[in-house]
Amino acid sequence: MLGDSMLRVLIIGNAPGEDLSQWSNLVLDSDLIIACDGAMEKCQSNGIVVNVLIGDMDSISEPSQRYAESKRVKIIKQTDQNTNDLTKAISYADSVGATKISIINVDGGRSDHQFANYLSLLEAKSDARLLLNDCTVRALSNNKPISHSIEIGTEFSVFSLGQSSGINLAGGKWVLKNAVLESNSTGLHNVAVEDVISIDCKTGNLLMFVSH
């Protein structure tokens, strides 16, 4: 599995209350499934076969951990409190050669944890995206362009974390050419006029939110 040229990784977070059945097609299409800590219990109850369990193991129950052991899930305990469980999972996915990382079940919870999840995308070496209930979030760093397939008429927003320069955006109602963005609301509420949005920047970090 890990030797394939394409390795589609699904990371499942530990958000409360979300119905994982809506992601059944994504589960089936994934080559490697990683559960973050206490998410193992929800995967177990939804019949999702987990390959790797990762985190500091502060939120997983003993029965769920024993279940993971009985199913020979690879368990990686990392107690480093300088990174959250999602960052740990993304780092592991990158280390095994992930070509695409999809992240689900991270909606809700504390606002600071949610913001940290956005920042975790910037640490991914591969194509990573958060699939939230209302939007998809992707990150763009300097000299790491992205193209995003989109339905014409869909709203999307692009925000800069700090100053970003040399930004080019095509496919939206409002385009950018060698632009500079600061940390403000300038990039809110653009609209797709083509079926692909292309963005690149020379310096800085951007977050793109695409509405569902």
Side-chain angles (χ1 to χ4, degrees), residues 9-11 90 93-94 98-103 124 126-129:
V9 175
L10 176 63
I11 297 174
I90 289 173
D94 283 333
T99 52
K100 181 178 180 180
I101 302 174
S102 299
I103 303 159
S126 52
D127 176 17
R129 59 194 73 195

Side-chain angles (χ1 to χ4, degrees), residues 63-77:
S64 291
Q65 187 159 348
R66 288 197 299 269
Y67 174 81
E69 292 168 352
S70 71
K71 295 298 182 180
R72 298 186 178 181
V73 175
K74 183 173 185 176
I75 300 175
I76 304 174
K77 184 175 182 179

Side-chain angles (χ1 to χ4, degrees), residues 76-206:
I76 304 174
K77 184 175 182 179
Q78 296 184 355
T79 57
D80 176 18
Q81 296 300 309
N82 292 319
T83 58
N84 63 6
D85 288 340
L86 179 56
T87 298
K88 294 178 176 75
I90 289 173
S91 178
Y92 177 81
D94 283 333
S95 74
V96 296
T99 52
K100 181 178 180 180
I101 302 174
S102 299
I103 303 159
I104 62 172
N105 202 44
V106 291
D107 285 270
R110 288 171 42 176
S111 297
D112 54 345
H113 288 193
Q114 189 67 51
F115 188 68
N117 289 338
Y118 301 151
L119 298 180
S120 294
L121 292 176
L122 294 168
E123 301 187 46
K125 297 177 182 177
S126 52
D127 176 17
R129 59 194 73 195
L130 291 174
L131 303 177
L132 306 179
N133 288 329
D134 62 341
C135 68
T136 295
V137 186
R138 299 184 67 180
L140 168 65
S141 299
N142 51 298
N143 296 318
K144 187 180 174 184
I146 61 173
S147 294
H148 188 92
S149 297
I150 192 171
E151 289 188 11
I152 293 174
T154 300
E155 288 190 355
F156 69 96
S157 301
V158 178
F159 302 110
S160 180
L161 299 174
Q163 185 185 83
S164 300
S165 63
I167 303 168
N168 298 294
L169 185 154
K173 182 177 180 180
W174 292 278
V175 300
L176 296 175
K177 294 183 178 180
N178 199 32
V180 175
L181 287 180
E182 304 285 349
S183 297
N184 53 38
S185 61
T186 300
L188 184 66
H189 292 323
N190 207 333
V191 180
V193 294
E194 299 178 17
D195 57 7
V196 174
I197 301 297
S198 299
I199 312 177
D200 65 83
C201 67
K202 290 182 180 178
T203 65
N205 298 297
L206 305 172

